């Protein structure tokens, strides 16, 4: 397990290091591995990669973000037939074949991973990709033309599959429809529609359907719920507030969601657990989620708390500025489960590129010069 430094490096220095870790590990294809040194994370996820590309785009590594987005577009257009089959099956009221449903992760060359014995069907990453692509094109005045076909296919795919149960952000609970998944899909479709990149109106219609579905079954006690019908929260729901703005980030539903997450999952000194009942590596605190929480705090003007999360992430960097998936010295929800995961897969994944991305995004939000 990596040892955290007691003194964190300056934020500008760590932010630059994050950018270096991101660009230095990017494959020639444009794909970002989730973690280059952790056996089962040597793949590229649309979910992780989209946030990583957002960080690269903000940090001025425009070519890196471009290359990732082009890689995503190719992954999608290479599977046009498969997507059209899914769309046709859903239009006929049928369940698409499991083998047709798009995976969450690919090899760095953009091929399916094949059967590696790991659960796969997750739709959130495709929504997150549409959102990150739109942000990147807007920020750098990019030309959307090379992406039009991939956007068309992705909008069609999400419109056809958003209502299917699938694995959540944590690749668990596949029998449910998850709040964060719906938020990511809605966020991506709304971004594309808002940027005028979907002239069919399909994305905008799907946004309306998702919103009414969440209003009817995806809330409990005034807050967004972990899945439709659940009473619990999950820290991934933070993304529905910021960046996806599924609900008004400063409005009552966002406030209630944030309060429930703060009550159940946020540690007073900073750091955020995924959900109550998490046992993965003992259920520690995730820099990715601290970054998401800080980003939301920054957006609603709670700057001191945003800085607290930035500090907390930095305090868990290794001496050479690498960030883990879970803070090694974190408070654990289920300590007796830690050894089991360490025996199975070794120490928790470091460097996790998504952790670096979220630190960089939060640093950027807080005006740290990169
Ligand atoms: C996490 C996913 C993530 C993947 C790669 C999994 O353990 O649950 O959210 O996409 O690792 O980082």
């Amino acid at each position: 397990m990596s040892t955290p430094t007691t003194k964190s490096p300056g934020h500008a220095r760590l932010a630059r290091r994050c950018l270096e870790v991101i660009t230095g590990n990017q494959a020639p294809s444009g794909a970002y591995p989730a973690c280059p040194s952790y056996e089962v994370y040597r793949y590229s996820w649309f979910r992780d990669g989209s946030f990583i590309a957002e960080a690269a785009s903000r940090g001025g590594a425009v070519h890196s973000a471009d290359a990732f987005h082009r890689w995503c577009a190719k992954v999608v257009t290479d599977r046009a037939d498969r997507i059209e089959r899914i769309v046709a099956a859903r239009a006929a009221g049928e369940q698409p074949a499991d083998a047709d449903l798009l995976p969450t992760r690919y090899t760095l060359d953009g091929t399916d991973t094949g059967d590696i014995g790991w659960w796969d069907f997750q739709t959130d990453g495709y929504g997150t990709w549409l959102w990150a692509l739109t942000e990147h094109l807007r920020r750098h005045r990019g030309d959307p033309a090379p992406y039009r076909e991939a956007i068309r296919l992705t909008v069609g795919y999400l419109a056809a599959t958003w209502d299917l149960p699938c694995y959540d952000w944590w690749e668990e609970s596949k029998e449910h429809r998850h709040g964060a998944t719906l938020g990511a899909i809605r966020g991506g479709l709304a971004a594309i529609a808002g940027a005028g990149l979907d002239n069919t109106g399909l994305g905008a219609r799907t946004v309306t359907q998702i919103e009414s579905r969440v209003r009817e079954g995806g809330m409990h006690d005034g807050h967004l719920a972990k899945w439709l019908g659940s009473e619990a929260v999950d820290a991934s729901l933070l993304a529905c507030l910021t960046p996806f703005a599924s609900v008004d980030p400063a409005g009552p539903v966002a406030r209630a969601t944030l309060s429930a997450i703060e009550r159940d999952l946020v540690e007073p000194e900073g750091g955020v657990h995924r959900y109550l009942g998490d046992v993965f590596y003992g259920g520690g605190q995730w820099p990715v989620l601290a970054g998401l929480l800080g980003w939301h705090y920054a957006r609603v003007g709670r700057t001191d708390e945003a800085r607290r999360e930035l500090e907390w992430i930095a305090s868990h960097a290794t001496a050479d500025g690498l960030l883990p998936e879970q803070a090694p010295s974190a408070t654990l929800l289920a300590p007796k489960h830690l050894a089991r995961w360490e025996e199975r897969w070794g120490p928790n994944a470091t460097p996790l590129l998504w952790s670096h991305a979220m630190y960089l995004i939060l640093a950027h939000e807080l005006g740290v010069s990169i």
Side-chain angles (χ1 to χ4, degrees), residues 155-156 159 189 192-193 196-209:
V155 169
L189 294 177
I192 287 293
L197 295 174
D198 168 29
N199 53 19
T200 66
L202 179 61
R205 285 197 297 283
T206 310
V207 164
T208 308
Q209 289 169 344

Side-chain angles (χ1 to χ4, degrees), residues 11 14-19 21-22 32 34 46-59 128 131-132 169-170 235-244 272 285-299 305-314 321-326 351-368 370:
H11 289 302
L14 184 53
R16 281 195 298 274
R17 177 74 174 127
C18 287
L19 198 56
V21 170
I22 287 172
Y32 298 114
F46 266 50
R47 171 176 46 251
D48 299 40
S50 300
F51 284 110
I52 297 166
E54 169 67 8
S57 173
R58 285 172 179 245
T128 306
W131 166 82
W169 271 38
W170 316 126
S236 59
L237 287 168
L238 287 166
C240 298
L241 319 185
T242 299
F244 299 135
V272 188
Q285 295 146 259
W286 286 51
V288 160
L289 294 171
L292 211 47
L293 176 64
W295 189 0
H296 181 64
Y297 280 146
R299 183 173 196 169
E305 287 146 301
R307 285 199 172 276
R308 179 193 73 195
E309 298 305 322
L310 189 77
E311 297 290 347
W312 182 86
I313 302 174
L322 301 182
L323 292 170
E325 180 177 58
Q326 293 192 35
L352 190 86
L353 269 61
W354 190 10
S355 297
H356 286 272
M358 297 310 292
Y359 175 83
L360 220 157
I361 291 172
L362 179 54
H364 183 255
E365 283 288 313
L366 288 170
V368 172
I370 299 161

Side-chain angles (χ1 to χ4, degrees), residues 33-35 38 40-41 43 45-49 104-105 118-119 122 124 168-172 274 280 286 288 325 345 349 352-354:
C35 172
Y38 189 83
V40 288
Y41 286 5
Y43 301 106
W45 272 253
F46 266 50
R47 171 176 46 251
D48 299 40
T104 185
R105 69 189 88 79
W118 200 7
W119 40 78
Q122 296 158 41
D124 64 279
D168 64 5
W169 271 38
W170 316 126
E171 326 214 74
E172 296 173 355
R274 298 194 299 181
F280 183 55
W286 286 51
V288 160
E325 180 177 58
W345 280 339
L352 190 86
L353 269 61
W354 190 10

Side-chain angles (χ1 to χ4, degrees), residues 58-82:
R58 285 172 179 245
V62 184
H63 293 303
S64 169
D66 280 343
F68 175 74
H69 290 306
R70 280 197 304 269
W71 177 82
C72 291
K74 181 161 177 0
V75 164
V76 170
T77 50
D78 281 354
R79 288 161 181 77
D81 291 351
R82 203 159 143 185

Side-chain angles (χ1 to χ4, degrees), residues 19-243:
L19 198 56
E20 199 177 274
V21 170
I22 287 172
T23 55
N25 283 293
Q26 187 169 25
S29 64
Y32 298 114
C35 172
S37 56
Y38 189 83
E39 186 60 35
V40 288
Y41 286 5
R42 289 183 187 158
Y43 301 106
S44 189
W45 272 253
F46 266 50
R47 171 176 46 251
D48 299 40
S50 300
F51 284 110
I52 297 166
E54 169 67 8
S57 173
R58 285 172 179 245
V62 184
H63 293 303
S64 169
D66 280 343
F68 175 74
H69 290 306
R70 280 197 304 269
W71 177 82
C72 291
K74 181 161 177 0
V75 164
V76 170
T77 50
D78 281 354
R79 288 161 181 77
D81 291 351
R82 203 159 143 185
I83 292 173
E84 304 294 7
R85 276 201 301 277
I86 292 166
V87 171
R90 295 293 287 155
E94 292 160 12
Q95 168 73 25
D98 278 3
D100 269 350
L101 293 165
L102 298 185
T104 185
R105 69 189 88 79
Y106 296 90
T107 68
L108 302 184
D109 290 336
T111 57
D112 284 26
T113 57
D115 186 8
I116 52 169
W118 200 7
W119 40 78
D120 225 11
F121 173 51
Q122 296 158 41
T123 42
D124 64 279
Y126 297 90
T128 306
W129 175 57
L130 291 181
W131 166 82
L133 173 64
T134 312
E135 289 290 296
H136 179 62
L137 292 175
R138 182 191 50 74
R139 183 175 296 119
H140 297 290
R141 297 172 203 275
D143 178 8
Y147 298 106
R148 286 209 184 268
E149 180 59 2
I151 291 172
R152 184 189 73 76
L153 288 164
T154 307
V155 169
Y157 177 70
L158 291 173
T161 57
W162 71 268
D163 196 27
L164 295 175
C166 71
Y167 291 104
D168 64 5
W169 271 38
W170 316 126
E171 326 214 74
E172 296 173 355
S173 307
K174 78 166 192 206
E175 63 283 14
H176 292 295
R177 293 169 177 83
H178 302 274
T181 301
L182 295 172
I185 297 173
R186 186 214 155 277
L189 294 177
I192 287 293
L197 295 174
D198 168 29
N199 53 19
T200 66
L202 179 61
R205 285 197 297 283
T206 310
V207 164
T208 308
Q209 289 169 344
I210 296 174
E211 286 174 350
S212 77
R213 193 69 198 277
V214 171
R215 261 196 316 272
E216 282 157 22
M219 312 253 308
H220 174 73
D221 219 5
H223 63 72
L224 295 170
K226 182 168 166 65
W227 57 65
L228 299 187
S230 162
E231 298 188 355
V233 284
D234 184 296
S236 59
L237 287 168
L238 287 166
C240 298
L241 319 185
T242 299

